[in-house]
Structures are given as C-alpha cells and as structure tokens.
Amino acid sequence: MIAALEVLAVALFSIAAGYYLVRRLKHIRRVLGQVNNGEYSQRLSDSQLDEVSEVASEIDRLAERVAWEKGNNERRIAELEELNGLLQKRLAERRHNR
C-alpha cells in the first residue's frame, strides 16, 4: 500500500512538473514568435533559477541586441540617404555650372 502511494505521489509530481515546464516553454515560444515578427520590446522575464530561466535570459539579451542593431542600422541608413542627397545636389550643381 505504501509503495502504491509513493508511485502515485511521484506520478502526480511528474505530471505537475511537466505541466509547469510545458507552460513556460509555450510562453517562450510565444515571445519568440513576437520577436521574430519585429516586436523586439517583448521580454520573457523568467524569475526562476533554473535552466529554462537561463535560456529565457539569453533570449531577452538576444532580443535587446537585435533591437539595438536594428536601430543602429536604421540610423546609418538615414545618414547614408542624407549624404547621398547632398552628393546628388552637388553633382547637379557641378553639371549646371559647366
């Protein structure tokens, strides 16, 4: 009887732990989908102290890095477009003065 109760307790614990883990993994998948669609402000913010939270922290850092890179690239493109406009203007002035 005691062995049967132990087996039942282990089975219930395993089911609960599995449910909890799957729920956290679904949340990670959902946030990754949002980040993949360009919503770089999404964060996992997993406060547990286990391997899943370590992965979540790395994903958060990666999303921050991607957002920073995207912003940096957009600034560089804007600067290049401005410089291109200035060069086009100077080229047109030189052609006009000839």
Side-chain angles (χ1 to χ4, degrees):
M1 180 70 143
I2 293 175
L5 288 175
E6 287 178 1
V7 169
L8 181 62
V10 168
L12 290 174
F13 177 77
S14 296
I15 290 170
Y19 173 76
Y20 181 67
L21 178 62
V22 167
R23 196 178 83 208
R24 289 172 71 196
L25 292 173
K26 284 182 179 180
H27 178 65
I28 289 173
R29 180 183 288 164
R30 186 173 47 255
V31 169
L32 280 173
Q34 292 170 332
V35 169
N36 193 40
N37 289 329
E39 298 175 37
Y40 303 114
S41 63
Q42 295 297 317
R43 296 293 179 266
L44 291 165
S45 303
D46 193 326
S47 61
Q48 301 297 316
L49 298 174
D50 60 6
E51 290 81 3
V52 175
S53 66
E54 289 176 16
V55 170
S57 294
E58 291 299 320
I59 291 170
D60 284 346
R61 279 196 286 277
L62 181 63
E64 289 172 13
R65 177 69 183 193
V66 169
W68 181 84
E69 289 286 346
K70 186 176 187 296
N72 198 30
N73 286 344
E74 288 172 353
R75 282 189 298 279
R76 287 180 179 167
I77 288 170
E79 289 172 3
L80 289 172
E81 287 174 344
E82 183 181 343
L83 287 172
N84 187 37
L86 290 172
L87 288 172
Q88 292 291 332
K89 190 176 182 180
R90 286 184 182 174
L91 184 60
E93 289 172 359
R94 277 192 165 185
R95 288 182 180 162
H96 180 62
N97 290 336
R98 284 188 180 179

